[in-house]
Amino acid sequence: MTIAQNLEAVREQVAVLAPGRQVAIVAVSKGQSAERMREAWQAGQVLFGESYVQEAMAKQEALRDLPLEWHFIGPLQSNKTTLVALNFHWVHGVDRIKTAERLSSARRGAGREPLNVCLQVNLSGESSKSGVLPEDVALLARQVVHLPGLCLRGLMTLPELTTDLEQQKFRFRALRQLLEALNRQGLALDTLSMGMSGDFPSAVAEGSTIVRIGTAIFGERHRKS
Ligand SMILES: *Cc1c(COP(=O)(O)O)cnc(C)c1O
């Protein structure tokens, strides 16, 4: 299967599961070459997701001639926040106020429009995983929403991989309910970033507005990632 065929298959599946709804597809290109990303662009893909800053910078340089939208989906190291704030359109994995403040001031310092961010939620409560715990999301959201360099768009989650469809849906439903609760408390969040190659049909069925898909589009990753 070519990248174009894979993309078409993913788009079709999403369209069938979310008739009349807009679900954005971020092509996760970590571990993939700039050439393969260009191939995806030629098949109509505009949104790309990267997890490693250095790798992303090199590919942004190589693809500078294309008007791509860049989503940072990896863990944020504090010494990289400025690079991320200035070179991405979205950041999906914000999970502490310090990081949010750094992103905000870097973005504002450069006089740029606010950066779109999602708060990453750790739904399974494992201490080894990044993400804010569900009971702490509201507090973090209330702080982040006031940062002038950020536009708080919604929530993101990276649940443990499972092939159990009910378990997948259970997690994604929990994220949707968290978002709904925040909106009832006066926020106006429009984004649920949930669903990857192995579980995106469940995520879309539960209300995902952005899916982040790598291997189902590009095949196995070639570089270490
Ligand atoms: C790698 C990654 C993805 C994509 O994973 P696939 O299984 O290749 O679709 C999505 N989201 C995040 C945060 C990732 O790190």
Side-chain angles (χ1 to χ4, degrees):
M1 294 280 271
T2 65
I3 289 171
Q5 287 169 327
N6 289 339
L7 264 171
E8 196 44 43
V10 170
R11 288 180 187 135
E12 266 178 41
Q13 278 193 76
V14 168
V16 166
L17 287 158
R21 248 172 60 212
Q22 280 296 107
V23 179
I25 298 170
V26 170
V28 175
S29 44
K30 63 181 177 199
Q32 304 292 345
S33 66
E35 291 68 39
R36 292 173 68 72
M37 293 174 70
R38 192 174 288 277
E39 209 179 312
W41 155 264
Q42 280 156 358
Q45 183 64 32
V46 178
L47 280 47
F48 289 88
E50 291 281 343
S51 300
Y52 305 98
V53 179
Q54 236 56 59
E55 179 190 340
M57 292 299 101
K59 289 190 279 188
Q60 287 192 3
E61 181 59 28
L63 299 169
R64 243 183 9 186
D65 56 314
L66 307 180
L68 305 181
E69 185 178 293
W70 295 88
H71 292 240
F72 189 76
I73 62 171
L76 263 168
Q77 296 166 280
S78 54
N79 61 337
K80 301 271 170 61
T81 43
T82 300
L83 265 180
V84 169
L86 300 186
N87 292 289
F88 287 82
H89 300 90
W90 283 72
V91 174
H92 290 238
V94 173
D95 65 357
R96 66 197 65 189
I97 186 64
K98 267 261 152 314
T99 311
E101 285 169 349
R102 284 204 187 92
L103 288 171
S104 175
S105 66
R107 189 80 175 187
R108 241 172 96 79
R112 302 265 305 274
E113 80 286 6
L115 177 67
N116 295 300
V117 299
C118 291
L119 303 182
Q120 183 171 351
V121 183
N122 175 356
L123 290 170
S124 56
E126 296 162 57
S127 59
S128 59
K129 294 186 67 178
S130 47
V132 60
L133 294 175
E135 57 267 35
D136 299 329
V137 173
L139 177 60
L140 181 59
R142 281 199 295 272
Q143 295 173 318
V144 170
V145 82
H146 293 299
L147 295 175
L150 303 184
C151 179
L152 179 60
R153 297 296 299 270
L155 303 178
M156 175 270 213
T157 196
L158 190 62
E160 71 276 28
L161 281 178
T162 169
T163 53
D164 180 338
L165 297 183
E166 282 315 308
Q167 180 64 14
Q168 290 178 1
K169 288 188 182 165
F170 176 77
R171 293 276 185 236
F172 294 135
R173 196 175 311 137
L175 196 73
R176 171 162 53 79
Q177 288 168 347
L178 266 180
L179 188 97
E180 289 167 354
L182 291 174
N183 283 340
R184 277 196 303 273
Q185 293 166 30
L187 295 176
L189 308 180
D190 62 7
T191 300
L192 280 170
S193 169
M194 55 187 199
M196 324 194 343
S197 296
D199 57 17
F200 77 87
S202 298
V204 171
E206 290 297 335
S208 177
T209 67
I210 301 184
V211 290
R212 310 174 311 266
I213 301 188
T215 45
I217 291 172
F218 293 106
E220 289 306 313
R221 284 181 270 278
H222 302 300
R223 301 189 203 152
K224 173 185 158 292
S225 55

